[in-house]
Amino acid sequence: MKNWRADLEFLAKQCTGQNLIMAGDFNSTLDVLSSLSSKPGADFGQCSDSGLAAHAAAIGSWPTSVPALLGAQIDHVMYTSAWKVAAMKVIQSEDAAGSDHRPVVATLAPAR
């Protein structure tokens, strides 16, 4: 747990500036990540979460052994203010592909 917390703190510090996209398996839900926000309105560091912005943060990306509505979204696409979310989706059609995570696809566009 100590290493996991240290890793999240490190990632939150990287999630700064204006033009950054960070994606992957954070092994954490937004309720934990939001405790590492460094500015008002941010979801993690200075970043926003694409799932939350697209109103899809309740769709579980893990584990594939349970229905997506019962899972947890621990895979994220985070972005800073240079970007906006056009769409975000947790792909549920590949649950039998062999991973315990569902793919997360976010479409981002320049904010300006």
Side-chain angles (χ1 to χ4, degrees):
M1 292 298 289
K2 180 180 175 183
N3 289 344
W4 171 72
R5 285 187 190 100
D7 290 347
L8 287 180
E9 289 171 6
F10 172 80
L11 289 174
K13 289 177 184 171
Q14 306 315 302
C15 210
T16 61
Q18 190 175 18
N19 190 5
L20 176 99
I21 298 170
M22 181 185 296
D25 176 3
F26 288 68
N27 279 324
S28 183
T29 57
L30 279 175
D31 57 333
V32 173
L33 295 179
S34 65
S35 70
L36 297 169
S37 296
S38 59
K39 76 174 193 178
D43 300 316
F44 180 64
Q46 294 180 13
C47 287
S48 298
D49 179 70
S50 62
L52 187 60
H55 305 287
I59 308 299
S61 61
W62 175 87
T64 55
S65 60
V66 301
L69 289 176
L70 297 178
Q73 193 169 110
I74 62 172
D75 303 279
H76 302 275
V77 178
M78 301 287 185
Y79 61 94
T80 54
S81 62
W83 300 95
K84 64 181 178 180
V85 174
M88 186 277 189
K89 185 173 184 174
V90 176
I91 308 297
Q92 300 176 51
S93 60
E94 300 300 319
D95 285 2
S99 175
D100 61 340
H101 290 255
R102 292 180 179 93
V104 173
V105 178
T107 304
L108 304 176
R112 295 177 178 88

